[in-house]
Amino acid sequence: MFVQELAPLAGSLALSALAATLPLATVLVLLGAVRMKAHLAGLIGLAVALLVAVVLFGMPVGQALSGAVQGAAFGLFPIMWIVVNALWIYRLTVRTGHFDVLRRSFGRVSDDPRIQALIIAFCFGALMEALAGFGAPVAISTVMLVALGFSPVKAAVVALVANTAPVAFGAMGTPVVTLAQVTGLPLESVSSIVGRQTPLLALVVPLLLVLLVDGRRGLRETWAPALACGVAFGVVQFLAANYVSAQLADIGAALAGAAAVVLLPHSRKPARAEVKASVLTGAATETLDGSDSRADIVRAYTPYALIIVIFSVAQLPPVKKLLDGATWKFDWPALDVANAAGKPVSGNIFSIPFLSTGGTLVLLAGVLTAIVLKVAGRDTVREWLATVHELRFAILTVVSVLALAYVMNLSGQATTIGTLIAGAGAGLAFLSPILGWFGVAVSGSDTSANALFGALQVTAAHQAGLSADLLASANSSGGVLGKMISPQNLTIACAAAQLTGQEGNLLRKVLPWSIGLLLVMCLIVVGQSTFLSWMLP
């Protein structure tokens, strides 16, 4: 048995914590300063984590390598298993043309560009975040807004800012699933708390979007549909995250937000000429023109309806019990780790939920989608393989980051860092969202930030006497606000809007909003740790 030590270097906690930060520092410097590709930075960071674990923290080589393999295995299943199958469904809708049908149906709701920004960037972007994540919402929303006549810069800024509230539950709940796994906390617990934090952002972001699109006039004239959109989104996200399923939170919230806008009579008023002239300063294209039959529109919405139905049925007690019965739990080979108190850590046991995992349920929805959209079996398989190929570098990144995180957690590096920063005491409640924000700003992924800092947050919370569930959840909720300033997302936005080399310009425009909303989230978490504790489950 390998027993973790809090201060293996000369008995000094500070010195040991400094050494334990080397893997994280390596990844962050390679990503942020050297601008190395994420998958390469992750692999180098993993090598540093293994070196620190073996040489400085005394972990046996075999156990360190075994821990890395376990992290990589979790990165493949269930994490990337969810992402691949979700993006596969999106590719099927693009292949059959039903993606264009869907976005045309959104575009017909209103000719007011401020309302279109709400529906496309916030609601439809959230739907894309729910299914695909990993930058897809920003790219797709930006292209659609530019097609409507938004200036490329405004379209990119609106898409970046809109990609906040849904991120923690993106890619079928992948960030919170990862957070639960690396921290050992129940998924229901972290999902519930994140679902009591990010919905508060949803109340603000739509109002901010109409302000970005048309200044004070936009806020004055369209605050009602913006507020209705935010309230509907936030309420459904809260209900789904707390009482239904983390995987359904964004899908339900996106559809509810869009429905709230569509059903509000104010949203359907024709836009005044001066509003269009002021906002639509770019060159509109014909890509959103065309008529669609009712049958095509129904088929375009069918994939999302299938996902909702399948995940809802999977939550029924008899069905849930049946699916859980296919879960395989076993002692991970060549791994026997105890914490500093001598108690075995949860990482010694690995669980493979073959049927109950979100990826398998999404796979079922994808098969049914292919049937409904009349995609031939050979083409369906070809699209799945193409999805894997498209995500090959993302898969390698996630696998390497999860392997790094597992090595840090199992060797005791994360515990040592967490014990040191616990000295901030009650101030940790304010700092926790900032740590998540920083992680996402550098890595571009809430999933990666949760893998890197989740266990650290839990350790610090235990040492400081704060709620581990709250601080771990704050890592994810704060992280969503770093998404808009991450180099990865800025590059995606520039590419979609054909703004080559203007990442710095976009950063200057979105950074104040990122920091401002982060401050709001920090205050929310501080409140929930003290006088707003009634908000927690």
Side-chain angles (χ1 to χ4, degrees):
M1 176 181 286
F2 166 67
V3 180
Q4 298 172 351
E5 288 187 60
L6 285 178
L9 295 186
S12 170
L13 181 63
L15 189 60
S16 300
L18 182 62
T21 62
L22 288 176
L24 295 176
T26 299
V27 173
L28 298 181
V29 169
L30 291 177
L31 286 173
V34 181
R35 300 294 179 89
M36 182 178 287
K37 292 186 180 299
H39 63 282
L40 295 176
L43 290 172
I44 294 174
L46 171 60
V48 175
L50 287 168
L51 190 64
V52 171
V54 173
V55 177
L56 302 181
F57 279 73
M59 190 176 194
V61 174
Q63 295 212 45
L65 292 174
S66 179
V69 173
Q70 184 186 136
F74 178 71
L76 289 173
F77 190 96
I79 299 304
M80 293 310 297
W81 178 239
I82 297 172
V83 176
V84 167
N85 290 324
L87 191 58
W88 172 54
I89 290 179
Y90 162 68
R91 288 180 63 98
L92 289 176
T93 64
V94 171
R95 181 185 182 92
T96 59
H98 288 88
F99 175 75
D100 290 330
V101 174
L102 185 67
R103 64 180 184 175
R104 279 195 291 268
S105 73
F106 284 146
R108 294 190 193 101
V109 173
S110 173
D111 67 345
D112 189 324
R114 300 164 300 189
I115 302 301
Q116 291 172 337
L118 290 176
I119 295 174
I120 293 173
F122 188 71
C123 299
F124 189 57
L127 196 60
M128 290 298 98
E129 181 68 36
L131 287 182
F134 290 87
V138 171
I140 294 168
S141 298
T142 299
V143 169
M144 291 177 67
L145 292 175
V146 169
L148 289 171
F150 280 70
S151 71
V153 171
K154 181 170 288 186
V157 169
V158 169
L160 285 166
V161 174
N163 191 219
T164 49
V167 169
F169 296 103
M172 307 307 295
T174 295
V176 291
V177 170
T178 302
L179 181 63
Q181 179 70 20
V182 301
T183 59
L185 299 172
L187 174 60
E188 295 77 12
S189 177
V190 293
S191 170
S192 178
I193 296 178
V194 173
R196 295 165 193 242
Q197 294 170 340
T198 56
L200 299 176
L201 291 177
L203 302 179
V204 178
V205 172
L207 295 169
L208 178 55
L209 293 181
V210 296
L211 178 66
L212 289 171
V213 170
D214 194 30
R216 294 181 181 178
R217 178 179 62 186
L219 188 59
R220 184 175 63 252
E221 295 181 357
T222 55
W223 66 267
L227 185 60
C229 177
V231 169
F233 186 101
V235 167
V236 172
Q237 190 183 61
F238 162 77
L239 293 174
N242 280 271
Y243 305 111
V244 184
S245 165
Q247 289 89 345
L248 284 177
D250 277 351
I251 293 179
L255 296 178
V261 176
V262 171
L263 295 176
L264 202 66
H266 182 83
S267 301
R268 296 191 293 274
K269 291 181 180 179
R272 301 195 310 278
E274 59 266 30
V275 172
K276 286 187 173 182
S278 174
V279 176
L280 302 179
T281 57
T285 68
E286 303 298 323
T287 56
L288 296 182
D289 291 342
S291 59
D292 303 298
S293 68
R294 181 172 298 179
D296 278 338
I297 294 174
V298 170
R299 279 193 288 269
Y301 283 91
T302 296
Y304 314 104
L306 285 171
I307 290 174
I308 292 174
V309 171
I310 290 172
F311 273 86
S312 298
V313 171
Q315 298 304 309
L316 298 175
V319 179
K320 184 175 177 61
K321 183 177 180 180
L322 180 64
L323 296 177
D324 287 341
T327 298
W328 180 28
K329 289 186 178 181
F330 59 95
D331 291 329
W332 188 262
L335 197 64
D336 188 9
V337 180
N339 60 25
K343 297 181 179 179
V345 300
S346 59
N348 293 327
I349 299 175
F350 195 71
S351 175
I352 304 179
F354 290 106
L355 297 182
S356 60
T357 185
T360 303
L361 299 178
V362 175
L363 177 66
L364 174 59
V367 172
L368 295 177
T369 294
I371 295 172
V372 171
L373 300 185
K374 300 179 180 178
V375 183
R378 179 180 299 177
D379 292 334
T380 300
V381 174
R382 188 175 295 149
E383 285 297 330
W384 193 89
L385 295 175
T387 303
V388 174
H389 182 266
E390 179 183 340
L391 289 173
R392 62 192 184 282
F393 293 121
I395 292 172
L396 186 55
T397 299
V398 170
V399 165
S400 61
V401 168
L402 264 297
L404 180 155
Y406 269 57
V407 171
M408 289 190 65
N409 296 342
L410 291 168
S411 66
Q413 295 174 58
T415 302
T416 297
I417 299 172
T419 302
L420 181 68
I421 68 173
L428 276 174
F430 186 88
L431 296 175
S432 287
I434 297 176
L435 188 60
W437 173 84
F438 179 72
V440 176
V442 174
S443 69
S445 166
D446 200 35
T447 299
S448 296
N450 286 343
L452 292 173
F453 300 133
L456 188 153
Q457 297 268 22
V458 169
T459 299
H462 286 316
Q463 296 292 330
L466 297 173
S467 167
D469 293 29
L470 175 61
L471 295 200
S473 301
N475 191 84
S476 192
S477 297
V480 306
L481 300 169
K483 191 83 168 178
M484 69 177 81
I485 63 169
S486 70
Q488 172 184 308
N489 258 24
L490 290 171
T491 301
I492 289 172
C494 283
Q498 297 184 345
L499 296 169
T500 306
Q502 294 194 40
E503 288 87 353
N505 182 34
L506 289 185
L507 177 61
R508 286 190 292 272
K509 290 182 178 297
V510 300
L511 182 59
W513 302 112
S514 177
I515 293 176
L517 291 172
L518 174 63
L519 177 60
V520 172
M521 181 55 66
C522 290
L523 295 176
I524 289 172
V525 175
V526 169
Q528 290 178 333
S529 70
T530 52
F531 63 95
L532 294 179
S533 58
W534 53 268
M535 292 180 63
L536 302 180

